[in-house]
Amino acid sequence: MSLRTALTRLCIAAAGGALVVGAASPALAGDDWDHHPDGGHTKYYKGRISAPGGLNLRDKPTRGSAVIGFAEYGEVVSIFCKTPGEKVQGNPVWYLLADGTWAWGSARYIDNIGASPRWC
């Protein structure tokens, strides 16, 4: 297994763990923070879909991986973190989205709203 594959799997596992922890606590409308029982917080970053026809969301940060979701043009999405992956029009960055289904979207088609997401 390559280092990139191992890191990607670790990031997905960490994101899945955050999803389970987040499901255990109520969220307020418009709340951008995942509240952990130990008092710590994980901030979700925001982005807007810029792909004219919308964006396929995938199970890995590659264009050939399975499509597991879709985001409409102009939709605001929550971003957990970013990782290097397959280049899309020269951009190798992919975002792990935290909107219900944990899925990867190419950063080429997601414009940051505010700060750039942290690395996975």
Side-chain angles (χ1 to χ4, degrees), residues 25-37:
S25 62
L28 301 173
D31 191 1
D32 291 339
W33 296 88
D34 180 19
H35 302 280
H36 294 275

Side-chain angles (χ1 to χ4, degrees), residues 2-118:
S2 72
L3 178 58
R4 178 175 286 171
T5 300
L7 289 174
T8 299
R9 287 183 180 178
L10 178 62
C11 185
I12 291 171
L19 178 62
V20 171
V21 170
S25 62
L28 301 173
D31 191 1
D32 291 339
W33 296 88
D34 180 19
H35 302 280
H36 294 275
D38 66 0
H41 301 284
T42 300
K43 185 174 189 328
Y44 291 139
Y45 301 86
K46 293 291 184 184
R48 185 176 313 277
I49 304 299
S50 62
L55 182 63
N56 286 329
L57 305 178
R58 301 184 178 275
D59 69 346
K60 296 181 181 117
T62 64
R63 291 184 291 178
S65 62
V67 175
I68 58 173
F70 183 80
E72 299 286 340
Y73 172 80
E75 183 178 338
V76 174
V77 293
S78 296
I79 304 167
F80 183 72
C81 61
K82 64 185 174 184
T83 193
E86 182 179 355
K87 286 184 181 180
V88 176
Q89 292 191 352
N91 187 337
V93 177
W94 288 70
Y95 292 150
L96 180 59
L97 304 183
D99 295 317
T101 302
W102 290 82
W104 294 98
S106 171
R108 167 63 181 90
Y109 295 110
I110 303 173
D111 296 333
N112 293 327
I113 299 172
S116 177
R118 69 181 176 277

